[in-house]
Structure formats: structure tokens, C-alpha cells
Amino acid sequence: SVKKYLNILKKNNYIIIFLAAKVRLKNDNIETLNINKKIIYNVLINLKFISFTKLIFFSSVDVYNLNGKNIIINERTNLGSKSYYGKSKIYCETMLRKNIPYKKLIILRLPGIYGFNSNSIINLFIQKLKKNKKVYIYNNGSNYRDYIFINDLAEIVYLVLQKDISGVYNLSTGKSIRIREILLIINKYLNKQKNVIFINKSNKLNYNLFISNKKISKKIKAIRFTKINQGISKTIKKNA
């Protein structure tokens, strides 16, 4: 239970990295919202009994209303997610802000994370193509996304911990790329072009994602991002 593990931390000051969540995989439903509400409730109840200097919460850019917009998102962009997953992250952020002093709280809003043992769409593409399965891409793969290599995320968290910062930060490479281009990079290594089917039909994910990383970059100037072709190459080789 949450209480059992947090009891271990009672006697010392710790930094807590809060990743626990029910993530959105195939389905986005009210169960996702309810489970994530329960998680944050249990954590906050038990945090009262331990001493910690900082809590880093992994949120998501899904907190923003992404549908049909082509704006560059920054931390001042209005929240308004249409998804249950995004709503659950808004709820968690709100509860953390109400219950944890500002100086102790860091909220990192993440885009898609790809790399070793990730469940991102990039990893899903790689897995399917390796198994010679078909990959169906809506909107002709024209939508823009921003993905962070998992090694870069680990490095960013390390750098964040070296700084006395708090507040909300979007994490992104700042260089969005079309889904179609991601498939082209993957197929440079797998050569499964015939397995990729582009569909000239819209779906609920028909939006572009452009995220500003200026705020976090000003605070931590040492941040460097792996180029997506290099990250995909490393992911394919690691999972070979």
C-alpha cells in the first residue's frame, strides 16, 4: 500500500518523484479519471506523516485543450482537456497545489516519451513493424508531435534536482515533427514501408502539438535533447 512504503520515509528529508498513474493506452474512459483521483488522494493522505524537501510530479501536456488548435503551448496556456486522462492530470495538479507548499512542488508536463521499455506510440510502431504487422496512420500522418527520448527525461530530472526551483514546467524538445516523418525514420532501419498504411481520414487525434520549452531552458541551461533519428536508432537497437 501507499502507507506501507511512505512509512519507510518518515525519519528523513526526501525528494519524492511522483510517477504513479493509470495511463491512457488504447482507451480513454472515466475509469482512468477515477483511479488517478484515488491515487492522488492516497498519496496526499500519507504525505502528512513524512518529511520531504521536494516533490516532482509527472503531469502531461494533455492538460491543455489540444483539439483543433495550432498554437504554441506554454505554461500560461489555458487548461481545458477533453480527455479523461487529461482531466485526471488537471485534478492531480490542483490537489497537489492545494496541499503542498509552492517551494516544495515541481510539476513537469510531459509530451510523449519514447525509448527503452516505453509504451509510447513510437515504440508501438517499432514493435508492430518488427513483427511484420500493419500500421495504420490517420490524417495521412500530417499531424505534428513532440517526443522526448527517455534518457533525456532522466537527465532532465537529475538537472532539476540540482536547482532550487519550483512551479510548473512544460518539457519538450521544442522541435515538433510530423507522424509521417517519424515512420520514415523508423523505416530507414526496419525497411517495412509496405506495412505502413496512410489513411486520408480524420480521427479524434487530429491536432498539432507545438510546445515551448523556454521556461525550463531558462532555468536549466544545460538541457540537451537527443535528435529523434538518433533516439529511434538507439531504441530499435536496444530492443533488437
Side-chain angles (χ1 to χ4, degrees):
S1 68
V2 173
K3 186 175 181 179
K4 174 184 174 182
Y5 290 105
L6 288 180
N7 274 338
I8 300 170
L9 308 180
K10 279 188 175 181
K11 296 181 180 179
N12 296 288
N13 287 324
Y14 286 90
I15 295 169
I16 298 171
I17 301 177
F18 185 174
L19 297 86
K22 177 176 174 59
V23 299
R24 178 182 61 192
L25 295 175
K26 291 183 178 179
N27 299 315
D28 178 58
N29 52 45
I30 198 165
E31 180 187 14
T32 301
L33 175 60
N34 291 335
I35 289 176
N36 286 334
K37 280 186 173 183
K38 288 180 181 178
I39 291 172
I40 192 66
Y41 174 80
N42 287 330
V43 168
L44 287 173
I45 286 293
N46 289 283
L47 280 179
K48 295 177 181 178
F49 305 109
I50 69 169
S51 178
F52 64 96
T53 58
K54 195 76 73 176
L55 186 146
I56 299 177
F57 176 62
F58 279 21
S59 188
S60 169
V61 295
D62 284 312
V63 297
Y64 302 108
N65 181 5
L66 304 174
N67 295 333
K69 294 186 176 181
N70 292 319
I71 62 172
I72 298 176
I73 293 168
N74 60 43
E75 290 80 2
R76 296 183 301 277
T77 301
N78 290 334
L79 307 186
S81 177
K82 302 295 185 183
S83 71
Y84 286 110
Y85 176 69
K87 289 175 181 177
S88 77
K89 288 296 186 180
I90 293 173
Y91 179 83
C92 290
E93 287 189 15
T94 302
M95 294 304 293
L96 287 168
R97 284 170 163 174
K98 285 182 177 179
N99 291 276
I100 295 177
Y102 176 82
K103 285 290 185 180
K104 287 189 173 185
L105 180 61
I106 301 172
I107 295 173
L108 302 179
R109 291 176 178 160
L110 278 59
I113 307 297
Y114 73 99
F116 325 129
N117 298 319
S118 167
N119 58 14
S120 78
I121 193 67
I122 291 180
N123 286 67
L124 180 62
F125 290 159
I126 292 170
Q127 291 164 13
K128 282 193 171 185
L129 292 175
K130 276 188 172 182
K131 294 176 182 178
N132 211 32
K133 293 183 178 180
K134 300 290 185 185
V135 172
Y136 297 92
I137 307 297
Y138 284 88
N139 310 315
N140 276 327
S142 62
N143 296 123
Y144 284 89
R145 294 292 187 271
D146 193 323
Y147 292 99
I148 293 178
F149 188 45
I150 196 165
N151 289 25
D152 297 342
L153 177 60
E155 178 67 15
I156 290 168
V157 171
Y158 172 78
L159 292 171
V160 164
L161 294 176
Q162 309 309 305
K163 298 282 186 178
D164 183 23
I165 65 172
S166 53
V168 178
Y169 298 89
N170 289 337
L171 294 190
S172 73
T173 67
K175 296 180 180 179
S176 296
I177 182 173
R178 290 186 188 272
I179 299 293
R180 175 184 289 275
E181 294 176 64
I182 291 172
L183 268 302
L184 288 173
I185 293 169
I186 292 172
N187 273 320
K188 283 183 181 179
Y189 304 101
L190 299 184
N191 195 28
K192 300 283 186 177
Q193 289 89 342
K194 292 181 179 179
N195 289 50
V196 180
I197 312 298
F198 290 101
I199 301 172
N200 187 21
K201 183 179 178 182
S202 180
N203 67 359
K204 63 181 181 180
L205 299 178
N206 185 18
Y207 59 84
N208 295 318
L209 191 55
F210 303 101
I211 311 164
S212 170
N213 61 13
K214 288 183 179 179
K215 184 179 178 182
I216 189 72
S217 296
K218 285 180 180 178
K219 291 285 185 179
I220 306 174
K221 300 187 184 301
I223 291 179
R224 298 291 182 271
F225 291 100
T226 301
K227 292 181 179 179
I228 194 164
N229 59 316
Q230 296 172 347
I232 287 174
S233 173
K234 289 177 181 180
T235 301
I236 291 172
K237 290 175 182 177
K238 185 73 174 181
N239 295 330

